[in-house]
Amino acid sequence: QVQLVESGGALVQPGGSLRLSCAASGFILDRHVIGWFREAPGKDREGVSCISGSDGRIYYIDSVKGRFTISRDNAKNTVYLQMNNLKPEDTAIYYCSTTPYLPWSSWNDEDEYEYWGQGTQVTVSS
């Protein structure tokens, strides 16, 4: 049974940092793509980043490049999203998701992902 559990969300001031974790179970992490998505109030869910299990390929949306870093620890079956220099517009519920296969042109399309966690709230505010 595939399970994804996010953690690490919190209230943080602008310019601060957080590290989100996505603990995976029920599948082999390095054979799946893991994606991070976020959903802000009144907005559509958007893909933030993803990491390939097979070749380590990584993608980010433009608004987080240089600030967010995705990584994977296969031994712990966990994927991380390190978020630095956080901005109020990063406020959202962050979800991790997985799929065994992904056409890379659609890496940020939520419909391409099969399984989802419950989400963790990130609030950036002074």
Side-chain angles (χ1 to χ4, degrees):
Q1 174 183 353
V2 173
Q3 267 197 316
L4 299 169
V5 180
E6 303 95 333
S7 61
L11 170 63
V12 63
Q13 292 186 342
S17 297
L18 284 174
R19 188 178 78 159
L20 304 184
S21 298
C22 173
S25 60
F27 64 97
I28 299 173
L29 188 64
D30 62 1
R31 296 182 185 176
H32 282 67
V33 176
I34 300 292
W36 281 100
F37 287 74
R38 65 186 180 187
E39 188 170 344
K43 295 187 176 181
D44 293 335
R45 189 174 296 187
E46 67 173 353
V48 175
S49 180
C50 80
I51 184 167
S52 164
S54 57
D55 59 9
R57 193 178 307 196
I58 289 173
Y59 292 89
Y60 299 100
I61 54 169
D62 287 345
S63 60
V64 307
K65 286 180 180 177
R67 300 188 298 122
F68 290 13
T69 303
I70 192 171
S71 62
R72 186 181 71 230
D73 186 335
N74 291 336
K76 294 183 178 180
N77 241 33
T78 300
V79 173
Y80 303 98
L81 186 67
Q82 177 68 42
M83 305 187 297
N84 298 327
N85 190 21
L86 283 160
K87 304 176 180 181
E89 51 264 43
D90 295 318
T91 295
I93 300 174
Y94 283 70
Y95 300 89
C96 66
S97 55
T98 188
T99 181
Y101 171 76
L102 184 69
W104 291 114
S105 61
S106 301
W107 74 267
N108 56 349
D109 183 348
E110 62 179 305
D111 292 335
E112 295 289 345
Y113 291 80
E114 293 185 49
Y115 300 97
W116 294 80
Q118 83 290 347
T120 185
Q121 176 70 49
V122 172
T123 303
V124 185
S125 175
S126 54

